[in-house]
């Protein structure tokens, strides 16, 4: 069985999400905060600024005038999209690697993480849920524990697959049985170590709904549903698919009809290649 303390120590090799992300998420949902205060935060992060301007000036957006400042990027792209780009850029590197222990090729974990984040955002907008950036961030980082556990999965994979097939266990339940910990719980603890809010860390840790919880927070429910839609769309790797025990219950909780859920899934699927192409610039 793996030691949580040892795994958290190993997680230090992952570059933490910059402090500016925490500050942006605190400010961006407050309509009273002036745009200048938000742009000023980004200005002091040269790498973030450079990548934001590179993306804004790419052919994907096709702006006629050159985007030469963070302020111009906010005006042309919109504040919401700018914050998402800054967040996406901050976690690109560790998620883009191959994770062979989980059977994920290079870039696959990145694609399923980004897809879940964008799909969760679409769900949140459809049901007009508050805290959209918390939902987006939790969905994007929900599998951060995979990065740490990956090297242990090569030796454990055959046993984990048998547990999933013979005992009909989900991936996280099989991880707990074989390794003593699952990637979701580890991800939540890493988020705590990075000083994320209790809500955000809890959403990451509980997004598979493997523990018996009668009162599921709305943010967690949205991320769970988005993850289900990614699996149904064939975006997630095969180990992450196939367990939708709470799907109907969550749709009812969120008052989201099957028709609306299918529309969110199909709308995203129709534009996903364009999204992946755009994000390749980051």
């Amino acid at each position: 069985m793996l030691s949580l303390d040892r795994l958290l120590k190993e997680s230090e090799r992952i570059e933490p999400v910059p402090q500016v992300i925490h500050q942006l998420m605190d400010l961006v949902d407050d309509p009273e905060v002036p745009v200048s205060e938000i742009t000023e935060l980004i200005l002091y992060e040269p790498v973030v600024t450079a990548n934001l301007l590179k993306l804004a000036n790419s052919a994907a957006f096709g702006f006629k005038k050159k985007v030469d400042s963070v302020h111009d990027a906010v005006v042309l792209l919109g504040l919401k999209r700018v914050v998402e780009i800054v967040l996406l850029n901050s976690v690109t590197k560790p998620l883009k690697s191959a994770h062979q222990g989980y059977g994920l090729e290079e870039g696959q974990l990145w694609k399923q993480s980004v897809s879940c984040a964008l799909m969760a955002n679409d769900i949140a907008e459809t049901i007009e849920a508050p805290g959209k950036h918390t939902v987006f961030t939790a969905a994007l980082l929900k599998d951060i524990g995979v990065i740490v556990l990956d090297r242990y999965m090569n030796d454990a994979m055959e046993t984990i697959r048998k547990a999933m097939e013979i005992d009909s266990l989900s991936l996280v339940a099989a991880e707990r049985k074989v390794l003593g910990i699952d990637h979701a719980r580890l991800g939540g603890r890493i988020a705590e170590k990075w000083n994320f809010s209790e809500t955000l860390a809890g959403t990451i840790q509980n997004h598979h709904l493997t523990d018996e919880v009668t009162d599921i927070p709305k943010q967690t429910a949205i991320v769970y549903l988005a993850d289900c839609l990614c699996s149904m769309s064939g975006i997630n790797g095969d180990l992450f698919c196939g367990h939708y025990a709470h799907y109907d219950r969550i749709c009812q909780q969120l008052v989201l009809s099957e028709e609306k859920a299918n529309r969110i899934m199909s709308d995203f699927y129709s534009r996903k290649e364009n999204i992946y192409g755009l994000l390749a610039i980051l």
Side-chain angles (χ1 to χ4, degrees):
M1 295 294 178
L2 299 177
S3 161
L4 177 58
D5 288 340
R6 176 183 173 183
L7 293 172
L8 288 174
K9 183 68 177 174
E10 290 185 23
S11 74
E12 293 175 4
R13 64 187 170 85
I14 305 173
E15 188 173 340
V17 172
Q19 186 61 34
V20 67
I21 297 297
H22 300 281
Q23 295 170 298
L24 282 173
M25 287 193 296
D26 287 341
L27 294 176
V28 76
D29 287 323
D30 184 351
E32 302 299 320
V33 174
V35 171
S36 59
E37 188 172 340
I38 294 172
T39 57
E40 189 173 340
L41 280 176
I42 303 172
L43 283 173
Y44 293 107
E45 296 287 338
V47 175
V48 172
T49 297
N51 280 290
L52 174 61
L53 296 184
K54 181 172 70 172
L55 186 61
N57 284 303
S58 70
F61 288 107
F63 295 132
K64 291 182 179 179
K65 61 171 286 187
K66 285 290 183 183
V67 182
D68 294 328
S69 69
V70 172
H71 180 270
D72 288 348
V74 171
V75 170
L76 292 168
L77 293 172
L79 184 57
K80 176 178 174 293
R81 179 169 281 182
V82 165
V83 173
E84 289 177 357
I85 289 170
V86 170
L87 178 59
L88 288 166
N89 179 69
S90 72
V91 299
T92 296
K93 191 174 179 180
L95 290 174
K96 273 193 172 177
S97 302
H99 299 88
Q100 296 175 346
Y102 282 89
L104 299 173
E105 298 177 353
E106 185 174 346
Q108 193 171 355
L109 182 62
W110 169 237
K111 285 183 178 180
Q112 69 184 45
S113 298
V114 170
S115 298
C116 189
L118 294 173
M119 208 127 25
N121 186 69
D122 289 345
I123 294 169
E125 289 190 343
T126 299
I127 66 173
E128 298 181 352
K132 294 183 182 67
H133 282 90
T134 297
V135 168
F136 183 91
T137 308
L140 181 66
L141 297 176
K142 65 180 177 58
D143 291 329
I144 200 75
V146 165
I147 297 170
V148 179
L149 283 182
D150 183 62
R151 73 189 192 95
Y152 298 99
M153 288 293 285
N154 285 315
D155 292 337
M157 181 49 61
E158 185 177 350
T159 308
I160 284 177
R161 283 194 181 275
K162 282 182 179 178
M164 293 176 70
E165 293 167 8
I166 296 173
D167 300 329
S168 297
L169 297 180
S170 66
L171 172 60
V172 289
E175 286 173 333
R176 287 183 186 181
K177 181 178 180 179
V178 177
L179 301 175
I181 191 169
D182 64 80
H183 71 272
R185 183 183 176 218
L186 178 58
R189 294 300 300 274
I190 292 171
E192 289 176 1
K193 191 173 181 179
W194 287 352
N195 296 316
F196 281 2
S197 70
E198 184 178 335
T199 298
L200 184 49
T203 302
I204 291 171
Q205 181 165 323
N206 300 313
H207 75 273
H208 280 293
L209 305 185
T210 47
D211 297 321
E212 290 297 327
V213 180
T214 53
D215 185 20
I216 300 169
K218 183 171 284 188
Q219 293 97 329
T220 306
I222 291 172
V223 175
Y224 171 85
L225 184 59
D227 196 29
C228 286
L229 296 182
C230 286
S231 293
M232 293 173 181
S233 301
I235 294 168
N236 287 348
D238 70 303
L239 281 178
F240 298 82
C241 296
H243 289 269
Y244 316 113
H246 303 283
Y247 179 83
D248 292 336
R249 171 191 174 190
I250 293 303
C251 283
Q252 290 176 2
Q253 176 182 330
L254 297 176
V255 195
L256 188 73
S257 67
E258 188 71 18
E259 179 184 358
K260 287 183 178 178
N262 287 335
R263 187 180 305 128
I264 288 169
M265 184 164 52
S266 61
D267 285 352
F268 176 81
Y269 203 80
S270 67
R271 57 192 172 94
K272 73 180 179 72
E273 293 307 323
N274 288 335
I275 291 170
Y276 295 158
L278 183 63
L279 293 173
I281 300 169
L282 291 174

Short mmCIF file of all heavy atoms in Angstrom, two decimals, residues 45-85:
data_model
loop_
_atom_site.label_atom_id
_atom_site.label_comp_id
_atom_site.label_asym_id
_atom_site.label_seq_id
_atom_site.Cartn_x
_atom_site.Cartn_y
_atom_site.Cartn_z
N GLU A 45 2.94 38.84 -14.36
CA GLU A 45 3.31 37.45 -14.66
C GLU A 45 3.78 37.41 -16.12
O GLU A 45 2.98 37.22 -17.03
CB GLU A 45 2.11 36.52 -14.46
CG GLU A 45 1.61 36.44 -13.04
CD GLU A 45 2.54 35.65 -12.15
OE1 GLU A 45 3.33 34.82 -12.66
OE2 GLU A 45 2.49 35.84 -10.91
N PRO A 46 5.07 37.65 -16.40
CA PRO A 46 5.54 37.79 -17.78
C PRO A 46 5.28 36.59 -18.67
O PRO A 46 4.92 36.74 -19.84
CB PRO A 46 7.05 38.05 -17.62
CG PRO A 46 7.39 37.67 -16.23
CD PRO A 46 6.16 37.85 -15.42
N VAL A 47 5.44 35.37 -18.14
CA VAL A 47 5.21 34.17 -18.96
C VAL A 47 3.73 34.06 -19.31
O VAL A 47 3.37 33.76 -20.45
CB VAL A 47 5.69 32.90 -18.22
CG1 VAL A 47 5.33 31.66 -19.02
CG2 VAL A 47 7.19 32.96 -17.98
N VAL A 48 2.88 34.32 -18.34
CA VAL A 48 1.43 34.27 -18.58
C VAL A 48 1.03 35.32 -19.60
O VAL A 48 0.26 35.06 -20.53
CB VAL A 48 0.66 34.48 -17.25
CG1 VAL A 48 -0.83 34.61 -17.51
CG2 VAL A 48 0.92 33.32 -16.30
N THR A 49 1.57 36.53 -19.44
CA THR A 49 1.26 37.61 -20.38
C THR A 49 1.71 37.25 -21.79
O THR A 49 0.96 37.44 -22.77
CB THR A 49 1.96 38.92 -19.94
OG1 THR A 49 1.44 39.32 -18.68
CG2 THR A 49 1.74 40.03 -20.95
N ALA A 50 2.91 36.71 -21.93
CA ALA A 50 3.44 36.35 -23.24
C ALA A 50 2.56 35.31 -23.93
O ALA A 50 2.23 35.44 -25.13
CB ALA A 50 4.86 35.82 -23.10
N ASN A 51 2.14 34.29 -23.20
CA ASN A 51 1.31 33.25 -23.79
C ASN A 51 -0.09 33.75 -24.13
O ASN A 51 -0.68 33.35 -25.13
CB ASN A 51 1.23 32.04 -22.85
CG ASN A 51 2.45 31.16 -22.95
OD1 ASN A 51 2.67 30.47 -23.93
ND2 ASN A 51 3.27 31.19 -21.91
N LEU A 52 -0.61 34.64 -23.30
CA LEU A 52 -1.93 35.22 -23.58
C LEU A 52 -1.89 36.03 -24.86
O LEU A 52 -2.77 35.91 -25.73
CB LEU A 52 -2.35 36.09 -22.39
CG LEU A 52 -3.65 36.90 -22.58
CD1 LEU A 52 -4.83 35.96 -22.81
CD2 LEU A 52 -3.89 37.79 -21.35
N LEU A 53 -0.86 36.87 -25.02
CA LEU A 53 -0.76 37.69 -26.23
C LEU A 53 -0.48 36.83 -27.46
O LEU A 53 -0.97 37.12 -28.56
CB LEU A 53 0.33 38.75 -26.05
CG LEU A 53 0.08 39.78 -24.94
CD1 LEU A 53 1.19 40.83 -24.93
CD2 LEU A 53 -1.28 40.45 -25.11
N LYS A 54 0.31 35.77 -27.30
CA LYS A 54 0.58 34.87 -28.43
C LYS A 54 -0.72 34.24 -28.93
O LYS A 54 -0.96 34.16 -30.13
CB LYS A 54 1.57 33.79 -28.00
CG LYS A 54 1.94 32.81 -29.12
CD LYS A 54 3.07 31.88 -28.71
CE LYS A 54 2.66 30.90 -27.66
NZ LYS A 54 3.70 29.87 -27.38
N LEU A 55 -1.54 33.81 -27.99
CA LEU A 55 -2.80 33.19 -28.37
C LEU A 55 -3.75 34.21 -28.99
O LEU A 55 -4.39 33.95 -30.01
CB LEU A 55 -3.46 32.55 -27.14
CG LEU A 55 -4.73 31.75 -27.39
CD1 LEU A 55 -4.44 30.58 -28.32
CD2 LEU A 55 -5.31 31.23 -26.09
N ALA A 56 -3.84 35.39 -28.39
CA ALA A 56 -4.75 36.42 -28.90
C ALA A 56 -4.37 36.87 -30.30
O ALA A 56 -5.25 37.24 -31.10
CB ALA A 56 -4.75 37.62 -27.95
N ASN A 57 -3.07 36.81 -30.63
CA ASN A 57 -2.61 37.23 -31.96
C ASN A 57 -2.56 36.07 -32.96
O ASN A 57 -2.13 36.25 -34.10
CB ASN A 57 -1.22 37.87 -31.87
CG ASN A 57 -1.28 39.29 -31.33
OD1 ASN A 57 -1.97 40.14 -31.88
ND2 ASN A 57 -0.60 39.54 -30.22
N SER A 58 -3.00 34.90 -32.56
CA SER A 58 -2.96 33.75 -33.46
C SER A 58 -4.06 33.84 -34.51
O SER A 58 -5.05 34.57 -34.36
CB SER A 58 -3.12 32.45 -32.66
OG SER A 58 -4.45 32.34 -32.17
N ALA A 59 -3.87 33.07 -35.57
CA ALA A 59 -4.86 33.05 -36.66
C ALA A 59 -6.21 32.52 -36.19
O ALA A 59 -7.24 32.78 -36.81
CB ALA A 59 -4.33 32.19 -37.81
N ALA A 60 -6.21 31.79 -35.08
CA ALA A 60 -7.46 31.20 -34.57
C ALA A 60 -8.50 32.27 -34.26
O ALA A 60 -9.70 32.05 -34.44
CB ALA A 60 -7.17 30.37 -33.33
N PHE A 61 -8.05 33.44 -33.79
CA PHE A 61 -8.98 34.51 -33.46
C PHE A 61 -9.15 35.50 -34.62
O PHE A 61 -10.19 36.11 -34.75
CB PHE A 61 -8.53 35.24 -32.19
CG PHE A 61 -8.73 34.43 -30.95
CD1 PHE A 61 -7.66 33.87 -30.28
CD2 PHE A 61 -10.00 34.21 -30.45
CE1 PHE A 61 -7.85 33.11 -29.14
CE2 PHE A 61 -10.20 33.46 -29.31
CZ PHE A 61 -9.12 32.90 -28.65
N GLY A 62 -8.12 35.67 -35.41
CA GLY A 62 -8.23 36.49 -36.61
C GLY A 62 -8.53 37.95 -36.38
O GLY A 62 -9.21 38.59 -37.19
N PHE A 63 -8.04 38.52 -35.28
CA PHE A 63 -8.25 39.94 -35.05
C PHE A 63 -7.45 40.76 -36.07
O PHE A 63 -6.30 40.45 -36.38
CB PHE A 63 -7.81 40.34 -33.64
CG PHE A 63 -8.65 39.70 -32.54
CD1 PHE A 63 -8.04 39.07 -31.46
CD2 PHE A 63 -10.03 39.73 -32.60
CE1 PHE A 63 -8.80 38.50 -30.46
CE2 PHE A 63 -10.80 39.15 -31.60
CZ PHE A 63 -10.18 38.53 -30.54
N LYS A 64 -8.05 41.82 -36.58
CA LYS A 64 -7.39 42.64 -37.60
C LYS A 64 -6.26 43.47 -37.00
O LYS A 64 -5.24 43.71 -37.64
CB LYS A 64 -8.41 43.56 -38.28
CG LYS A 64 -9.41 42.79 -39.14
CD LYS A 64 -10.38 43.73 -39.85
CE LYS A 64 -11.35 42.94 -40.72
NZ LYS A 64 -12.32 43.81 -41.40
N LYS A 65 -6.43 43.92 -35.77
CA LYS A 65 -5.39 44.72 -35.13
C LYS A 65 -4.55 43.82 -34.22
O LYS A 65 -5.03 42.81 -33.68
CB LYS A 65 -5.98 45.87 -34.32
CG LYS A 65 -6.91 45.47 -33.20
CD LYS A 65 -7.29 46.65 -32.32
CE LYS A 65 -6.16 47.08 -31.43
NZ LYS A 65 -6.52 48.11 -30.44
N LYS A 66 -3.31 44.17 -34.05
CA LYS A 66 -2.43 43.42 -33.17
C LYS A 66 -2.84 43.65 -31.70
O LYS A 66 -3.20 44.77 -31.32
CB LYS A 66 -0.97 43.87 -33.35
CG LYS A 66 -0.33 43.34 -34.63
CD LYS A 66 -0.11 41.84 -34.55
CE LYS A 66 0.59 41.31 -35.78
NZ LYS A 66 0.74 39.85 -35.74
N VAL A 67 -2.80 42.59 -30.94
CA VAL A 67 -3.11 42.67 -29.51
C VAL A 67 -1.78 42.85 -28.78
O VAL A 67 -0.98 41.93 -28.68
CB VAL A 67 -3.83 41.40 -29.02
CG1 VAL A 67 -4.19 41.53 -27.54
CG2 VAL A 67 -5.08 41.15 -29.85
N ASP A 68 -1.56 44.06 -28.28
CA ASP A 68 -0.25 44.40 -27.71
C ASP A 68 -0.24 44.51 -26.19
O ASP A 68 0.81 44.79 -25.60
CB ASP A 68 0.24 45.73 -28.30
CG ASP A 68 0.54 45.63 -29.79
OD1 ASP A 68 0.95 44.54 -30.22
OD2 ASP A 68 0.34 46.62 -30.49
N SER A 69 -1.37 44.31 -25.54
CA SER A 69 -1.42 44.46 -24.09
C SER A 69 -2.46 43.53 -23.50
O SER A 69 -3.36 43.06 -24.19
CB SER A 69 -1.75 45.91 -23.70
OG SER A 69 -3.09 46.21 -24.06
N VAL A 70 -2.32 43.28 -22.21
CA VAL A 70 -3.31 42.46 -21.51
C VAL A 70 -4.67 43.14 -21.55
O VAL A 70 -5.70 42.48 -21.73
CB VAL A 70 -2.87 42.24 -20.04
CG1 VAL A 70 -3.98 41.57 -19.24
CG2 VAL A 70 -1.60 41.41 -19.98
N HIS A 71 -4.68 44.47 -21.44
CA HIS A 71 -5.94 45.21 -21.49
C HIS A 71 -6.64 44.97 -22.83
O HIS A 71 -7.85 44.73 -22.88
CB HIS A 71 -5.68 46.71 -21.29
CG HIS A 71 -6.93 47.54 -21.35
ND1 HIS A 71 -7.41 48.07 -22.54
CD2 HIS A 71 -7.82 47.90 -20.38
CE1 HIS A 71 -8.52 48.72 -22.30
NE2 HIS A 71 -8.79 48.64 -21.00
N ASP A 72 -5.89 45.05 -23.93
CA ASP A 72 -6.49 44.80 -25.25
C ASP A 72 -7.03 43.37 -25.35
O ASP A 72 -8.09 43.14 -25.94
CB ASP A 72 -5.45 45.03 -26.35
CG ASP A 72 -5.12 46.49 -26.55
OD1 ASP A 72 -5.84 47.35 -26.00
OD2 ASP A 72 -4.11 46.79 -27.22
N ALA A 73 -6.29 42.43 -24.78
CA ALA A 73 -6.73 41.02 -24.82
C ALA A 73 -8.04 40.86 -24.07
O ALA A 73 -8.95 40.15 -24.53
CB ALA A 73 -5.65 40.13 -24.20
N VAL A 74 -8.17 41.53 -22.93
CA VAL A 74 -9.41 41.44 -22.15
C VAL A 74 -10.57 42.06 -22.92
O VAL A 74 -11.68 41.50 -22.97
CB VAL A 74 -9.24 42.14 -20.78
CG1 VAL A 74 -10.59 42.25 -20.06
CG2 VAL A 74 -8.25 41.38 -19.91
N VAL A 75 -10.33 43.20 -23.57
CA VAL A 75 -11.38 43.88 -24.34
C VAL A 75 -11.84 43.01 -25.50
O VAL A 75 -13.05 42.86 -25.77
CB VAL A 75 -10.88 45.25 -24.84
CG1 VAL A 75 -11.87 45.85 -25.83
CG2 VAL A 75 -10.67 46.19 -23.66
N LEU A 76 -10.89 42.41 -26.23
CA LEU A 76 -11.22 41.66 -27.44
C LEU A 76 -11.71 40.24 -27.16
O LEU A 76 -12.61 39.75 -27.84
CB LEU A 76 -10.00 41.61 -28.37
CG LEU A 76 -9.60 42.95 -29.00
CD1 LEU A 76 -8.23 42.84 -29.66
CD2 LEU A 76 -10.63 43.41 -30.02
N LEU A 77 -11.12 39.60 -26.17
CA LEU A 77 -11.48 38.21 -25.88
C LEU A 77 -12.58 38.09 -24.83
O LEU A 77 -13.30 37.08 -24.82
CB LEU A 77 -10.24 37.44 -25.38
CG LEU A 77 -9.11 37.22 -26.37
CD1 LEU A 77 -7.89 36.63 -25.66
CD2 LEU A 77 -9.55 36.29 -27.48
N GLY A 78 -12.68 39.08 -23.98
CA GLY A 78 -13.63 38.99 -22.86
C GLY A 78 -12.91 38.47 -21.63
O GLY A 78 -12.02 37.62 -21.71
N LEU A 79 -13.30 38.99 -20.49
CA LEU A 79 -12.63 38.66 -19.24
C LEU A 79 -12.70 37.18 -18.91
O LEU A 79 -11.72 36.56 -18.50
CB LEU A 79 -13.24 39.48 -18.10
CG LEU A 79 -12.61 39.34 -16.73
CD1 LEU A 79 -11.13 39.70 -16.79
CD2 LEU A 79 -13.33 40.22 -15.72
N LYS A 80 -13.86 36.58 -19.13
CA LYS A 80 -14.04 35.17 -18.80
C LYS A 80 -13.06 34.30 -19.58
O LYS A 80 -12.40 33.41 -19.02
CB LYS A 80 -15.48 34.75 -19.11
CG LYS A 80 -15.77 33.28 -18.90
CD LYS A 80 -17.24 33.00 -19.19
CE LYS A 80 -17.53 31.51 -19.12
NZ LYS A 80 -16.87 30.78 -20.22
N ARG A 81 -12.94 34.55 -20.87
CA ARG A 81 -12.04 33.73 -21.69
C ARG A 81 -10.58 33.96 -21.31
O ARG A 81 -9.79 33.03 -21.31
CB ARG A 81 -12.26 34.03 -23.17
CG ARG A 81 -11.34 33.25 -24.09
CD ARG A 81 -11.75 33.36 -25.53
NE ARG A 81 -12.85 32.50 -25.84
CZ ARG A 81 -13.38 32.36 -27.07
NH1 ARG A 81 -12.90 33.06 -28.07
NH2 ARG A 81 -14.39 31.55 -27.28
N VAL A 82 -10.23 35.19 -21.00
CA VAL A 82 -8.85 35.49 -20.59
C VAL A 82 -8.48 34.71 -19.34
O VAL A 82 -7.40 34.11 -19.25
CB VAL A 82 -8.65 37.00 -20.37
CG1 VAL A 82 -7.35 37.27 -19.61
CG2 VAL A 82 -8.62 37.73 -21.72
N VAL A 83 -9.37 34.69 -18.35
CA VAL A 83 -9.09 33.96 -17.11
C VAL A 83 -8.94 32.47 -17.40
O VAL A 83 -8.06 31.80 -16.85
CB VAL A 83 -10.21 34.21 -16.07
CG1 VAL A 83 -10.02 33.31 -14.85
CG2 VAL A 83 -10.20 35.67 -15.63
N GLU A 84 -9.79 31.93 -18.28
CA GLU A 84 -9.68 30.51 -18.63
C GLU A 84 -8.34 30.22 -19.32
O GLU A 84 -7.70 29.21 -19.04
CB GLU A 84 -10.84 30.12 -19.54
CG GLU A 84 -12.18 30.05 -18.82
CD GLU A 84 -13.34 29.73 -19.74
OE1 GLU A 84 -13.12 29.61 -20.97
OE2 GLU A 84 -14.47 29.60 -19.24
N ILE A 85 -7.92 31.12 -20.21
CA ILE A 85 -6.64 30.93 -20.91
C ILE A 85 -5.48 30.94 -19.92
O ILE A 85 -4.56 30.12 -19.99
CB ILE A 85 -6.45 32.01 -21.99
CG1 ILE A 85 -7.42 31.77 -23.15
CG2 ILE A 85 -5.01 32.04 -22.49
CD1 ILE A 85 -7.47 32.91 -24.15
#
